[in-house]
Amino acid sequence: MPFHRREAAIERFSVLAGLRSLVVPVFDTAPTDRFAEVTLKNVTVATGITLTPQNTVVACSTPSVSALYERLGFPVAGVESDITPEPERPWDVLLRLAAGDQRWRELAHPATTDVFDRYRLEDSVRTVVNDPVVGDEGGLTPTRDYRTYAEAFADAAGRKWDLVRPHVRPGRIVDIGCGAGSVLERADQEPALRESDLIGVEIARHLYDECVHKKAQGVFQNANVYFYRRNVLGGAIFPPRSIDTTLTFALTHEIWSYGDRMASLRTFAQAIYDHTAPGGVWINSDVCGPDGKDRPVHLTLTATDGLNPSSVRSELAELSSSEVATHVSALSTRARLDRFAADYRFPFSFTTVNDTTVELPFGDAMDFLTRKDYTDNWLSETQEQFCGLEFADWKSLLTDIGFELDPASDTTRNDWIVDNRLAPVASLTTPAGDPVDWPVTHVFLVARRPLNT
């Protein structure tokens, strides 16, 4: 829930209780045992008031947080701690709300229920708490380095826009999974789209906040730029037949990976079809699996370009992201396959042919090869499947829903990846030993809703 809504509830509570209050936002920080010091400094910066043990009593219902202030000498009033039997805590009330139990209203203060009702916060909170995709940090995975992703989005924005621009239909243009809004910045510079609405939808809090910040700083010249923080799997975002162009970049493999694979992807594609105006278009650019992804291949990997430990380290989750990156980067390509098999969230197995060669499905081989160098976000990347669908699967899915595929739809191979990341350390053959060409790695889909539907 955004700070300004909580501030409104606190101010209303203060009025109803006959108290005077100063409300100061506490911005999100990485976990630290100096949280109390950070908060006290924040109060001083915001209000000019210095809080000390002599002029302040800390009211807190969380023992671990209370201990941080007690360590600094502050007296602590343990909120609700001396009531018997122990009352329901705020998070208990929140879970009642999320479960649809209206008794939460009996436990919350009237100031809270008033603000929740006026700003329709009950539905928002219920959606977030029950969301199977969004994690505690407001993103897809807690290990993802969003700074790295934002930089990558910005670097590729020009190339992405050049790819889709010939197929964009003016009107209401939506970029779902817009990242930090870099592609919409390019659209904003198009004179032909000056009268169009440019709409960004982003699930990750860090990236959504950056979009809002850019708009506030005047990055966009078009007055009709809007951003929504939504999970597209949570239901319809836009009214039926209201969107002229939908853009998705490197998104559909995440829906497949973090949702229920084909069921979630079909739900997403159907939602796009439903909100697309007749004659409108969905342009999707993403990774994809090779043709014949289930056929067996032999994958030979270099074992001399790094360490080859006798066993796979049992657990990486307790390490920091930099420590994980250091550990994985030090492994040979062959050893990274073992590491990948241990960390990959999807069923993954292979048969050892010899010290450097294994047999496995073609799609699994490419899932490893296209991920093996993403060491900076290793624990995040191993949660995603790149090769779940091949081009034929996409054509079947889209036409079944009702889209018509534009002839521009096709697959491509990223030859830079082949020349620099794959060919130097790996090779593919059939089980009989015949060479297998490096397959396609990406799909570009231009799907139109027919005018008469």
Side-chain angles (χ1 to χ4, degrees), residues 333-387:
T333 303
R334 174 62 186 85
R336 285 190 202 183
L337 177 67
D338 295 328
R339 179 75 262 167
F340 186 77
D343 298 328
Y344 195 42
R345 191 163 61 89
F346 299 88
F348 186 88
S349 61
F350 54 84
T351 302
T352 299
V353 177
N354 56 48
D355 289 346
T356 58
T357 301
V358 299
E359 181 174 310
L360 73 175
F362 199 5
D364 287 349
M366 293 307 299
D367 253 310
F368 164 67
L369 290 172
T370 53
R371 218 73 50 75
K372 66 180 179 62
D373 297 297
Y374 290 177
T375 57
D376 285 347
N377 284 289
W378 180 262
L379 293 181
S380 175
E381 294 294 345
T382 53
Q383 301 301 300
E384 300 178 6
Q385 188 173 34
F386 280 14
C387 300

Side-chain angles (χ1 to χ4, degrees), residues 192-266:
L193 302 179
R194 186 63 62 200
E195 300 301 319
S196 294
D197 290 350
L198 305 180
I199 305 167
V201 179
E202 177 53 53
I203 188 175
R205 172 171 52 83
H206 308 71
L207 299 176
Y208 168 78
D209 288 346
E210 180 60 23
C211 291
V212 175
H213 175 70
K214 284 183 176 181
K215 182 178 178 180
Q217 294 299 308
V219 170
F220 297 95
Q221 300 303 308
N222 187 336
N224 299 308
V225 177
Y226 310 96
F227 292 102
Y228 295 87
R229 185 174 176 228
R230 298 285 191 275
N231 174 13
V232 292
L233 295 183
I237 299 175
F238 303 103
R241 302 185 179 193
S242 65
I243 303 299
D244 295 283
T245 299
T246 301
L247 306 175
T248 53
F249 299 96
L251 174 69
T252 50
H253 78 274
E254 294 189 335
I255 292 172
W256 168 281
S257 299
Y258 295 105
D260 189 16
R261 302 198 195 181
M262 182 58 86
S264 295
L265 194 56
R266 175 175 285 276

Side-chain angles (χ1 to χ4, degrees), residues 36-58:
E37 289 97 320
V38 171
T39 302
L40 294 169
K41 291 176 182 177
N42 206 58
V43 171
T44 300
V45 170
T47 67
I49 299 171
T50 300
L51 303 182
T52 69
Q54 288 70 45
N55 66 14
T56 302
V57 174
V58 177

Side-chain angles (χ1 to χ4, degrees), residues 84-408:
T84 304
E86 184 174 304
E88 293 190 61
R89 300 300 179 92
W91 52 84
D92 297 317
V93 181
L94 181 81
L95 293 177
R96 280 188 181 275
L97 185 162
D101 183 348
Q102 289 303 305
R103 283 179 294 175
W104 78 269
R105 293 176 173 273
E106 301 171 10
L107 298 166
H109 192 276
T112 297
T113 56
D114 174 60
V115 172
F116 269 55
D117 289 341
R118 279 191 287 145
Y119 293 102
R120 303 172 64 182
L121 297 178
E122 190 171 353
D123 290 340
S124 298
V125 172
R126 184 175 294 118
T127 296
V128 172
V129 172
N130 296 322
D131 196 315
V133 177
V134 181
D136 292 341
E137 293 303 309
L140 292 172
T141 66
T143 58
R144 177 164 290 181
D145 180 354
Y146 284 102
R147 178 186 57 79
T148 301
Y149 276 77
E151 292 172 353
F153 293 154
D155 291 342
R159 174 182 55 80
K160 291 176 179 178
W161 181 246
D162 290 342
L163 178 68
V164 304
R165 178 62 188 94
H167 310 286
V168 169
R169 171 171 149 164
R172 302 192 76 204
I173 300 169
V174 176
D175 184 358
I176 299 179
C178 67
S182 300
V183 171
L184 290 179
E185 288 183 55
R186 300 305 193 280
D188 179 65
Q189 298 168 13
E190 291 280 345
L193 302 179
R194 186 63 62 200
E195 300 301 319
S196 294
D197 290 350
L198 305 180
I199 305 167
V201 179
E202 177 53 53
I203 188 175
R205 172 171 52 83
H206 308 71
L207 299 176
Y208 168 78
D209 288 346
E210 180 60 23
C211 291
V212 175
H213 175 70
K214 284 183 176 181
K215 182 178 178 180
Q217 294 299 308
V219 170
F220 297 95
Q221 300 303 308
N222 187 336
N224 299 308
V225 177
Y226 310 96
F227 292 102
Y228 295 87
R229 185 174 176 228
R230 298 285 191 275
N231 174 13
V232 292
L233 295 183
I237 299 175
F238 303 103
R241 302 185 179 193
S242 65
I243 303 299
D244 295 283
T245 299
T246 301
L247 306 175
T248 53
F249 299 96
L251 174 69
T252 50
H253 78 274
E254 294 189 335
I255 292 172
W256 168 281
S257 299
Y258 295 105
D260 189 16
R261 302 198 195 181
M262 182 58 86
S264 295
L265 194 56
R266 175 175 285 276
T267 298
F268 175 69
Q270 184 67 56
I272 292 183
Y273 180 85
D274 292 343
H275 80 215
T276 300
V281 61
W282 174 22
I283 308 171
N284 179 35
S285 176
D286 206 348
V287 291
C288 74
D291 295 336
K293 61 183 176 61
D294 296 323
R295 64 187 175 103
V297 295
H298 280 193
L299 173 64
T300 300
L301 302 170
T302 297
T304 58
D305 56 347
L307 301 176
N308 294 283
S310 57
S311 62
V312 177
R313 186 167 180 168
S314 60
E315 183 61 61
L316 294 185
E318 73 268 11
L319 302 181
S320 68
S321 58
S322 61
E323 290 172 330
V324 172
T326 298
H327 174 73
V328 178
S329 297
L331 300 175
S332 73
T333 303
R334 174 62 186 85
R336 285 190 202 183
L337 177 67
D338 295 328
R339 179 75 262 167
F340 186 77
D343 298 328
Y344 195 42
R345 191 163 61 89
F346 299 88
F348 186 88
S349 61
F350 54 84
T351 302
T352 299
V353 177
N354 56 48
D355 289 346
T356 58
T357 301
V358 299
E359 181 174 310
L360 73 175
F362 199 5
D364 287 349
M366 293 307 299
D367 253 310
F368 164 67
L369 290 172
T370 53
R371 218 73 50 75
K372 66 180 179 62
D373 297 297
Y374 290 177
T375 57
D376 285 347
N377 284 289
W378 180 262
L379 293 181
S380 175
E381 294 294 345
T382 53
Q383 301 301 300
E384 300 178 6
Q385 188 173 34
F386 280 14
C387 300
L389 295 181
E390 57 187 85
F391 190 40
D393 299 323
W394 271 113
K395 290 191 289 187
S396 176
L397 171 63
L398 295 176
T399 55
D400 185 52
I401 286 174
F403 282 110
E404 294 178 347
L405 278 184
D406 188 282

